[in-house]
Amino acid sequence: MPRNLDLTALRSFVAVADAGGVTRAAGFLNLTQSAVSMQIKRLEEALDLALLDRSARRVTLTAAGEQLLGYARRMLALNDEVFGRLTHDDYEGEVVLGVPHDIVYPAIPQVLQRFAAEFPRMRVTLLSSYTRKLKAQFARGECDVIMTTEDAVEPGGETLVELPLVWVGAPGGQAWKQRPLRLAFEPNCIFRMGVQSALDAAGIPWTMAVESDSSRTIEASVSADLAVHVSLAGAEPRYMERIPHCGALPDLETSKVNLYVADPVHSPAVEVLADLIRRAYAAQAGGAPVARHVAGEVAEDAPRLALRA
């Protein structure tokens, strides 16, 4: 006679494993500590196995518990996917996504469009800011998912793609030929110091001709041929083009585009959003076409863009 595992008990078991204790897991699940303990006990009785080692101050998994954890995650993910696909109209709430403004295009509009189709009643708040600020907000629990541009990836993150930095300027512009080289950067741009070091190493004099907290100001100045800037390859802003300098400017380093997802997540929709981002970057890496621009912009003066389908 087939026996069935209790998915509610499995969810409590996974929460205890992730939280490192019954008390914190109860808070995540909005249950009492005794209710969570009872579910774990029922699960252990059903399997006739000890799943948790309660001898230490911090609850840890037994060998059997470690083996069950992988199965439990897959079973719960499949359960949540079924409900997400078949009853997604019932999902409401908010998901907060943070993305540096220079990599919003080309992937993020496509991701938001697909997410809205999956969860039409979910509210997405898009934060457009600098990597350092987004990571601070993520650490405070203010974002569910963030993307970053970094030299490396920190624990808990994953690298979606690694791209070279390229010089960009006005179409047909001449500013890149001037010496000292006129640069345009935001004060908090993570690429700024590396560019300056590359120019110093190449013996090319430079001056910070345009400095502004507004990315729109930087783009306008560069597109007017008043200065040059750098961008991740493939994410060049509109009204700019890659500079055909033929070695007159130094080659630049690469940068990683990383993804960080809150753990634990408060909704299956968060994992769906993260997976859509992964797939969008995988499609780009595979050469699949991605729309470069869509109607609407991320306003520099109002970086929180709330989208509701």
Side-chain angles (χ1 to χ4, degrees):
M1 181 176 179
R3 294 182 294 172
N4 299 315
L5 290 171
D6 183 343
L7 288 178
T8 301
L10 282 177
R11 197 176 298 278
S12 291
F13 169 69
V14 171
V16 171
D18 289 341
V22 173
T23 302
R24 289 189 65 200
F28 293 152
L29 297 168
N30 199 26
L31 296 172
T32 64
Q33 184 175 344
S34 60
V36 173
S37 296
M38 185 61 68
Q39 289 174 0
I40 299 298
K41 182 180 179 181
R42 285 203 304 266
L43 188 59
E44 289 180 321
E45 289 175 349
L47 294 169
D48 195 23
L49 292 169
L51 302 175
L52 301 180
D53 182 354
R54 300 172 176 85
S55 61
R57 188 168 185 177
R58 178 182 170 89
V59 174
T60 58
L61 300 182
T62 64
E66 291 176 347
Q67 188 173 11
L68 175 63
L69 184 60
Y71 290 114
R73 290 193 194 281
R74 295 203 296 274
M75 292 173 68
L76 292 172
L78 185 58
N79 174 82
D80 294 342
E81 182 180 349
V82 169
F83 275 91
R85 299 290 182 182
L86 300 182
T87 66
H88 62 268
D89 283 353
D90 292 335
Y91 276 105
E92 292 184 347
E94 181 184 32
V95 176
V96 181
L97 169 64
V99 185
H101 59 80
D102 54 351
I103 58 170
V104 168
Y105 295 104
I108 298 306
Q110 169 188 286
V111 167
L112 295 178
Q113 183 180 43
R114 291 181 178 175
F115 182 82
E118 295 264 357
F119 299 94
R121 298 176 65 181
M122 289 288 293
R123 178 184 178 90
V124 179
T125 297
L126 176 62
L127 303 181
S128 177
S129 189
Y130 303 104
T131 286
R132 295 186 185 93
K133 183 176 180 180
L134 291 174
K135 291 183 74 174
Q137 291 174 302
F138 183 77
R140 294 193 297 266
E142 297 173 7
C143 300
D144 298 298
V145 180
I146 63 169
M147 296 174 63
T148 64
T149 50
E150 304 176 88
D151 294 334
V153 61
E154 293 189 359
E158 60 186 278
T159 297
L160 299 174
V161 68
E162 185 166 357
L163 298 169
L165 287 170
V166 294
W167 294 97
V168 293
Q174 302 299 308
W176 65 273
K177 298 179 180 179
Q178 298 179 18
R179 298 293 182 273
L181 183 66
R182 296 170 58 85
L183 302 177
F185 278 95
E186 301 94 331
N188 293 313
C189 179
I190 200 167
F191 305 138
R192 177 172 170 160
M193 290 186 62
V195 168
Q196 294 170 351
S197 297
L199 290 170
D200 290 341
I204 297 175
W206 55 269
T207 182
M208 194 58 59
V210 182
E211 187 171 29
S212 174
D213 287 324
S214 169
S215 62
R216 294 287 186 251
T217 299
I218 299 300
E219 291 177 10
S221 300
V222 174
S223 63
D225 203 26
L226 301 180
V228 299
H229 188 57
V230 300
S231 170
L232 285 172
E236 295 90 334
R238 288 188 300 176
Y239 316 119
M240 298 185 202
E241 68 178 14
R242 199 174 302 189
I243 296 173
H245 58 80
C246 298
L249 296 176
D251 291 333
L252 301 172
E253 299 295 328
T254 61
S255 179
K256 291 178 169 62
V257 177
N258 295 329
L259 179 71
Y260 296 85
V261 182
D263 182 22
V265 299
H266 67 79
S267 165
V270 173
E271 285 290 0
V272 173
L273 178 62
D275 192 53
L276 287 172
I277 293 171
R278 295 184 187 101
R279 283 192 277 166
Y281 273 84
Q284 285 181 265
V290 178
R292 179 155 178 79
H293 292 288
V294 298
E297 296 283 343
V298 178
E300 181 70 25
D301 295 331
R304 293 181 67 91
L305 177 61
L307 304 177
R308 184 184 291 274

